Amino acid sequence: MTRPTIAITMGDPAGIGPEIIMKALARPEVHAICRPLVVGDAARLVRAGDIVGAELAVDRLERAVDANFSASAVQCVDLAVVPADLPFGKISAVAGDAAYRYITKAVEIVSAGHASAICTAPLSKEALHAAGHRFPGHTELLAHLTGTPEVSMMLVSPKLRVIHVTTHIGLVDAIERIEPGLVERVISRGHDVLVKAGIAEPKIGVCAINPHAGENGLFGRNEEAEKIAPAVEACRAKGWDVRGPLAADTLFFLAQRGDYHMVVAMYHDQGHGPIKVLGLEAGVNITVGLPVIRTSVDHGTAFDIAGKGIADERSLVEALRQAADLSPAPGID
């Protein structure tokens, strides 16, 4: 089996990204499924390796093509932008700018054909903004860097897949933004990913906005009939098994039981809540609609435990697995 090359961005260097990368790349099963290439700061990885007790060297690379993919040494395209005394667990513009540079470099590497996908460690939105990069998060930043007008966030856990119609905006703004065309496009992107993943006829459930799906107009302002139902009908007209709008509380229960392959959530917390209840350690974030594959851990920078060596790397391992599974072709030969 040809292993795809996955560009792993280090995320915010003051967070747990460096530690979970060193922990994950110490696991043999990661090297069995992909060729990991870290984009970050080699010195920071060395420090993180010391903290977590990883018996791995770090190879400092100037170019992606210089990687040898030894399982005993982390391959790092070294941007060397983090000062040695940068503290763990503190928000800073320096760290925010570093995180921005890592993702920018990773896009360049994948665009040049030197990697098949990007897997991102977490960044801090506050630090990113402090550095002058005004993006709500990785998803919007990647869309900007790749010139993609619209993307969707999909969260995947062992029992549940959720794609979001809206994400990092306030609830009132989300309800205003939801409209049939947007809902249909999100369903279509999710359907395409499931088919590419080998599910020939996905069964998709679409959440309502209001409790009990609005009770036929008793709750809300008829959002289900006006904003969601037309999109569901349009997708069903394509021959797809799409059902909704359905009461979210019941739909998530049915989906984690296995009745649906994917749930379409209308707003951020509607989709994130069930995934996180099922376990952050196994959750993966996939950006759908980009010209490159991008997966990520489904947790934040965890500044409260950064630098202590106790961060859990399992979400990153699963994110790498998903990136490998979705990669269309190998990276560096």
Side-chain angles (χ1 to χ4, degrees):
M1 181 184 73
T2 303
R3 296 172 298 146
T5 300
I6 310 298
I8 307 169
T9 58
M10 206 172 73
D12 191 303
I16 61 172
E19 294 167 77
I20 61 174
I21 287 173
M22 295 303 289
K23 282 187 171 184
L25 298 193
R27 296 172 64 154
E29 64 265 33
V30 168
H31 298 274
I33 61 172
C34 71
R35 295 183 292 188
L37 177 67
V38 180
V39 182
D41 269 69
R44 195 67 168 180
L45 291 175
V46 170
R47 185 176 173 188
D50 291 340
I51 291 170
V52 303
E55 296 182 359
L56 290 172
V58 177
D59 289 345
R60 294 168 168 85
L61 311 175
E62 291 186 4
R63 305 177 304 162
V65 293
D66 295 331
N68 61 29
F69 299 108
S70 165
S72 62
V74 174
Q75 305 298 293
C76 176
V77 176
D78 186 16
L79 274 62
V81 293
V82 177
D85 61 352
L86 181 78
F88 281 100
K90 294 185 181 297
I91 294 170
S92 74
V94 170
D97 187 60
Y100 175 84
R101 293 191 188 201
Y102 303 152
I103 196 68
T104 300
K105 186 65 174 179
V107 169
E108 292 177 6
I109 289 170
V110 174
S111 299
H114 299 317
S116 299
I118 297 172
C119 181
T120 59
L123 56 70
S124 163
K125 298 176 182 64
E126 189 174 346
L128 191 69
H129 287 192
H133 307 298
R134 301 291 179 175
F135 297 94
H138 267 124
T139 301
E140 297 81 4
L141 174 54
L142 282 161
H144 169 74
L145 292 173
T146 59
T148 306
E150 188 175 273
V151 295
S152 297
M153 176 188 292
M154 177 183 284
L155 302 181
V156 178
S157 75
K159 289 187 176 183
L160 190 63
R161 299 181 188 90
V162 184
I163 193 167
H164 292 69
V165 175
T166 65
T167 51
H168 298 122
I169 56 175
L171 183 55
V172 172
D173 296 327
I175 294 172
E176 183 177 345
R177 184 173 297 183
I178 295 166
E179 50 87 18
L182 174 59
V183 176
E184 182 181 352
R185 293 192 299 275
V186 171
I187 296 171
S188 297
R189 281 191 282 271
H191 183 274
D192 289 348
V193 168
L194 295 179
V195 171
K196 289 177 182 176
I199 303 171
E201 297 182 358
K203 185 174 181 180
I204 299 171
V206 181
C207 287
I209 295 173
N210 294 296
H212 300 186
E215 290 278 17
N216 294 317
L218 291 179
F219 302 150
R221 299 180 181 179
N222 213 32
E223 288 92 350
E224 279 68 33
E226 295 179 1
K227 294 175 174 286
I228 304 172
V232 172
E233 291 306 313
C235 291
R236 291 179 64 85
K238 301 174 186 177
W240 299 348
D241 189 350
V242 180
R243 306 184 186 190
L246 303 171
D249 52 357
T250 302
L251 175 54
F252 279 109
F253 167 76
L254 296 174
Q256 64 83 31
R257 191 176 69 178
D259 292 6
Y260 291 90
H261 293 105
M262 184 180 74
V263 172
V264 180
M266 291 298 120
Y267 52 91
H268 184 281
D269 285 13
Q270 187 180 58
H272 277 62
I275 287 283
K276 292 187 176 182
V277 166
L278 289 174
L280 278 173
E281 70 280 354
V284 175
N285 182 336
I286 302 174
T287 304
V288 181
L290 292 170
V292 299
I293 301 298
R294 180 260 174 163
T295 66
S296 177
V297 296
D298 185 31
H299 59 70
T301 51
F303 284 139
D304 58 325
I305 62 169
K308 298 180 180 179
I310 60 175
D312 193 321
E313 77 278 15
R314 284 178 291 176
S315 182
L316 179 59
V317 172
E318 186 58 31
L320 288 166
R321 190 185 312 280
Q322 292 284 347
D325 288 345
L326 293 170
S327 293
I332 306 170
D333 295 327

